[in-house]
Amino acid sequence: MLSFFSDQIDKHKAVSEEEKTLNDLEQSEGSHFPGDDYRPSDRKNWMAGLDVEKLTLSKIVWPGTHDSATNDIGIPLVSRPLAECQTLSIYDQLVLGTRVLDIRVQEDRHICHGILTSYNVDDAIDDVIRFLSETHSEIIILEMRTEYGHKDPPEFETYLADKLGQFLIQQDDNLFNKAVSEILPKRVICIWKPRESPKPSRGGLLWNSDYLKDNWIDTDLPWKKFQSNLKHLSEQQPISSRKYFYRVENTVTPQADNPVVWVKPVTDRIRKHARLFISQCVAKGCADKLQILSTDLIEEDFVDACVGFTHARIEGKV
């Protein structure tokens, strides 16, 4: 019993030390970067506000959400705090400025996060369609995947093509350097990641997992995750040379053997340092590699940081 409490104290100290390291870095080096003072006048239409003639996909820093459809997961006040990575609906996230969604499903087409379940995926897709019907120039990356430990929903590729067909951007390796204006009126890059079913074919309406990559690590230590994100990003090719999207997740993950297991207090350890991460990308010489930046519990300032850096790229300030 004494060793258990000793371990918990050590883990708490480790987290506190890592939080201090990040806070000290932000205090000493700041979190400024080109475009950090930019604020979109209309987050719902921020791509339209940046001039779709000049805005190529390769210039965008895409604000994304991690486990996007968990706003109604589990049982309120019981299991929900263990898995609720977003409190906003898919529609509200898109209106706020989110442009990359990470939606996970199980065999019966319900949203899930681990063993916890939520609403039918129809609700999430309908939110996407509602947003698309209200805007004209916003492009979305929609990642659909079968959750770990679950079976693929039957005929799900056909389902996605039928639901989103009029909006889908066909897989094309030449897309990355095209301007948004050249891609419209198509609006959705849909990436389908089944666990066992055949992955989408090249050139089809859906994109496969080869086109969205990341280097996720399972840790609740914020400095460890921050360093890992910078390291793996620095090892990527510049965006201009890539034919895939690369995602950095500015998140940490609750660990079952630690005293704090609710999502919000754990992910807040790193979530507040999104601007610091962008500034460190500039300082470390990998600003030309940053593409998708995802977060838990997305807020306006996170969107503004991504859009501001995108604006700076368009203006040639990066």
Side-chain angles (χ1 to χ4, degrees):
M1 181 64 72
L2 288 177
S3 64
F4 170 80
F5 285 111
S6 177
D7 286 346
Q8 296 304 304
I9 292 170
D10 288 343
K11 289 171 182 176
H12 177 73
K13 286 181 178 178
V15 168
S16 297
E17 289 171 1
E18 296 222 353
E19 288 184 293
K20 183 178 185 303
T21 299
L22 275 172
N23 289 332
D24 289 349
L25 178 64
E26 185 148 3
Q27 186 172 13
S28 63
E29 299 193 18
S31 56
H32 295 293
F33 52 84
D36 63 0
D37 58 346
Y38 181 85
R39 299 292 184 273
S41 59
D42 179 7
R43 294 184 184 89
K44 184 176 181 179
N45 292 282
W46 67 257
M47 287 187 179
L50 291 180
D51 188 347
V52 294
E53 301 288 338
K54 295 181 180 179
L55 182 61
T56 61
L57 295 198
S58 60
K59 286 187 171 69
I60 299 171
V61 178
W62 303 74
T65 51
H66 164 248
D67 257 312
S68 305
T70 52
N71 57 299
D72 198 29
I73 200 85
I75 303 171
L77 302 177
V78 181
S79 57
R80 184 168 298 171
L82 303 173
E84 188 180 46
C85 299
Q86 308 298 330
T87 57
L88 300 177
S89 69
I90 294 297
Y91 173 77
D92 287 338
Q93 289 175 47
L94 291 168
V95 169
L96 188 71
T98 301
R99 293 297 177 266
V100 181
L101 297 169
D102 157 23
I103 297 178
R104 309 179 189 194
V105 295
Q106 60 184 21
E107 189 175 12
D108 64 359
R109 294 187 182 174
H110 277 74
I111 302 297
C112 62
H113 185 180
I115 62 172
L116 299 179
T117 61
S118 184
Y119 43 78
N120 192 286
V121 72
D122 275 342
D123 295 340
I125 300 299
D126 288 346
D127 269 5
V128 171
I129 293 171
R130 176 187 173 191
F131 173 78
L132 294 170
S133 70
E134 295 175 356
T135 57
H136 303 287
S137 302
E138 307 304 300
I139 291 180
I140 299 167
I141 299 174
L142 173 61
E143 180 196 20
M144 303 293 311
R145 66 166 109 168
T146 303
E147 176 69 308
Y148 179 79
H150 293 271
K151 294 182 179 180
D152 300 322
E155 307 297 327
F156 200 64
E157 183 172 349
T158 301
Y159 162 81
L160 291 171
D162 288 345
K163 288 281 286 186
L164 294 165
Q166 63 176 309
F167 301 109
L168 291 175
I169 299 169
Q170 189 170 351
Q171 188 278 315
D172 178 5
D173 284 358
N174 297 314
L175 188 77
F176 295 91
N177 290 312
K178 288 185 178 181
V180 169
S181 60
E182 297 178 77
I183 300 167
L184 299 174
K186 301 300 184 181
R187 311 275 300 284
V188 179
I189 298 169
C190 185
I191 299 169
W192 166 226
K193 295 183 175 182
R195 299 200 65 81
E196 297 177 354
S197 305
K199 65 183 183 181
S201 302
R202 291 171 60 89
L205 285 176
L206 303 185
W207 299 53
N208 64 49
S209 58
D210 296 339
Y211 290 97
L212 178 56
K213 301 181 181 182
D214 54 37
N215 290 99
W216 180 79
I217 64 168
D218 186 12
T219 182
D220 65 351
L221 298 174
W223 177 236
K224 179 179 180 180
K225 183 64 176 289
F226 193 94
Q227 287 182 300
S228 174
N229 283 343
L230 275 176
K231 174 182 178 294
H232 288 298
L233 181 63
S234 69
E235 293 168 351
Q236 302 302 310
Q237 295 178 325
I239 297 170
S240 59
S241 302
R242 294 202 301 252
K243 299 298 182 184
Y244 59 88
F245 295 99
Y246 184 78
R247 174 172 53 201
V248 173
E249 291 192 325
N250 190 56
T251 64
V252 285
T253 309
Q255 303 296 303
D257 61 347
N258 276 10
V260 181
V261 293
W262 286 15
V263 169
K264 187 178 187 305
V266 173
T267 201
D268 278 352
R269 298 168 187 168
I270 196 170
R271 186 169 67 104
K272 60 188 175 183
H273 294 297
R275 287 182 176 269
L276 175 63
F277 184 80
I278 297 175
S279 71
Q280 285 295 297
C281 288
V282 175
K284 302 297 184 185
C286 54
D288 61 341
K289 301 177 180 183
L290 181 61
Q291 192 169 34
I292 297 173
L293 187 60
S294 288
T295 186
D296 290 324
L297 305 171
I298 194 164
E299 295 178 336
E300 292 175 349
D301 187 67
F302 181 87
V303 172
D304 292 352
C306 294
V307 177
F309 200 50
T310 301
H311 180 258
R313 283 177 170 172
I314 294 173
E315 297 295 312
K317 297 178 181 178
V318 180

